[in-house]
Amino acid sequence: MATTAVTDSSFQSDVLESDKPVLVDFWADWCGPCKMIGPALEEISDELSEKVTIAKMDIMENPDTPGKLGVQGIPYLALYKNGEIVADMRGAAPKSQLKGWLEQQL
């Protein structure tokens, strides 16, 4: 399962009301580190599709949600369970580190 795009208008239903944990990748097209972790997140999404949904939010196209959450730097990964952030990670990391961190949180 590929990553899912979320927007300010779909954030409530796609993330906060999800029955499954959701990892949100806050990113922007101009962000080099964001582009570096993008392919890894796609692969992790396929590998862990039964356990977690991986969503991507472009902060330039959707400024409201990141603004409310106080997102100040990207890439910023936030793991939601039952509508609450239970873990987060700032900055880029190799796929093995991203996947290991995520699996520990699930």
Side-chain angles (χ1 to χ4, degrees):
M1 182 174 137
T3 58
T4 306
V6 292
T7 64
D8 285 333
S9 60
S10 72
F11 191 80
Q12 179 76 30
S13 60
D14 290 347
V15 177
L16 301 180
E17 297 173 0
S18 176
D19 294 334
K20 192 163 57 167
V22 180
L23 179 68
V24 181
D25 171 24
F26 293 92
W27 71 285
D29 192 46
W30 49 261
C31 170
C34 298
K35 290 181 178 182
M36 286 174 29
I37 66 170
L41 291 174
E42 292 291 336
E43 291 175 16
I44 294 168
S45 180
D46 290 338
E47 294 165 9
L48 300 179
S49 63
E50 293 182 15
K51 296 180 180 179
V52 64
T53 298
I54 298 183
K56 296 177 74 65
M57 176 173 271
D58 184 329
I59 65 165
M60 300 305 288
E61 293 179 10
N62 303 283
D64 294 344
T65 302
K68 289 177 191 170
L69 296 173
V71 174
Q72 296 182 356
I74 56 173
Y76 174 65
L77 303 173
L79 180 63
Y80 286 81
K81 288 184 185 176
N82 302 316
E84 300 288 330
I85 295 177
V86 295
D88 64 356
M89 176 186 263
R90 288 169 178 77
K95 178 187 171 187
S96 60
Q97 188 176 341
L98 292 170
K99 187 176 179 182
W101 171 80
L102 182 56
E103 288 177 319
Q104 284 182 338
Q105 308 308 320
L106 297 173

